[in-house]
Structure formats: structure tokens, C-alpha cells
Amino acid sequence: MLDEEMDEFLKSLEEDEEESSKPQKPPPKRKTKPVNDPLTDDIDSILNDPDFETDRRKTEKPTKLQQYPPKKCSVVYIGKKESTIGQISCPNIRCMKCDCGVVCFEDFDWDGNIEYLFLRNNYPDFDRLKSKLKPVKGTFAYACQCNSVSVQKQSSVNSVKNSLKWFCGSH
């Protein structure tokens, strides 16, 4: 019984192989339009025009990334938006330790020492962070998910707190 089934299986494989080795009919030829078709003539005249650019890269507008390389601050300043000597505070600060953006609360100061877990659990929600913030005119409270600092005048990040690992995320 098993031998008969095996023979049938082998026979079916041989038949399949014979069918696949037979030359197959070529696919049907596509119908082509006559050469004197007005549409074909128009397309040919456009393509043969020396002013027609066939390379799409020449006609596409460059993307924003291609137009301008991203700007990065060489020294990251925090505090007032612009100082009297032309230093501008960085609007896009990121932290290397927690890989989060740094948020800034203008006219607020941190109320005492802020614990790591408080920031971790409440960042970046102002409504949840405001329990540790007090309103102080002219002060800036900055925080990421692992660190916080307050400044009253514009300063570089390293001069405020040496343990900060904040950098410009480009703008």
C-alpha cells in the first residue's frame, strides 16, 4: 500500500517536471500605436526639446534640510532671551543623561531642592510641576527629566551647574 502511494507521488512529480520543461508560449505582443499618432508626435516633440529637463532632481525644490544646515549653539546659554552683548538663549536644549528636551518656565523659580523622582514622574507637565515652582518675576526655571536649575540672568549652562549635561538640539 505504501509502495503504491510512493509510486503515484513520484509519477506526479515526473509529470510536473515534464510540463515545466516544455517550451512555453511567448506572452502576447502589446499593441503599439501607429507612428503618425498625434499624441505620440506631441510627446516626442516635448522630449526632444532641448529646454525640457528630464532629470527630476533638477526641477525639484531642495528640502529644508538641503537648503540650510542645522544651526547648533557652540555655547548653550539659558536665561533671558537675548543679552545686551548679543548672546541668544538656546530655544532647543536637550539633556544627554535622560535624552529629554529641557523645558523652561519664565517668571518662575524652583522652590528649594527638587528630587530626581519628582522630575521623573512629573516632567514636562506644568500643572504637575507647579507644586514646586514659585512665581518670581525675571527668573527662569529650567528642567529635564533628571535635573533642574533656576537662573535670573543669562548664563552658560556650565557656569550655572557643572553637573548639567545639556546641549543644543539644533534649530
Side-chain angles (χ1 to χ4, degrees), residues 58-138:
K58 292 178 183 175
T59 59
E60 289 178 353
K61 291 183 179 179
T63 63
K64 186 176 181 181
L65 195 59
Q66 292 169 331
Q67 287 178 345
Y68 309 104
K71 294 179 183 178
K72 287 199 172 193
C73 304
S74 55
V75 178
V76 178
Y77 288 98
I78 57 176
K80 293 181 181 176
K81 302 297 180 206
E82 189 171 340
S83 72
T84 56
I85 56 174
Q87 298 164 335
I88 299 172
S89 293
C90 184
N92 190 18
I93 304 172
R94 294 198 57 85
C95 177
M96 278 191 234
K97 284 184 180 178
C98 62
D99 194 31
C100 290
V102 176
V103 292
C104 175
F105 304 110
E106 192 171 346
D107 294 329
F108 283 95
D109 191 3
W110 290 109
D111 190 17
N113 190 19
I114 308 302
E115 294 181 15
Y116 169 81
L117 281 177
F118 175 79
L119 290 172
R120 184 90 177 148
N121 293 329
N122 298 305
Y123 166 90
D125 189 1
F126 174 76
D127 291 331
R128 293 169 68 183
L129 291 170
K130 71 180 176 184
S131 65
K132 297 281 185 171
L133 289 167
K134 58 183 179 185
V136 177
K137 189 81 172 155

Side-chain angles (χ1 to χ4, degrees), residues 16 100 165:
D16 288 345
C100 290
K165 302 294 181 196

Side-chain angles (χ1 to χ4, degrees), residues 51-62:
D51 294 331
F52 180 72
E53 294 182 16
T54 57
D55 188 2
R56 289 193 57 162
R57 288 178 287 168
K58 292 178 183 175
T59 59
E60 289 178 353
K61 291 183 179 179

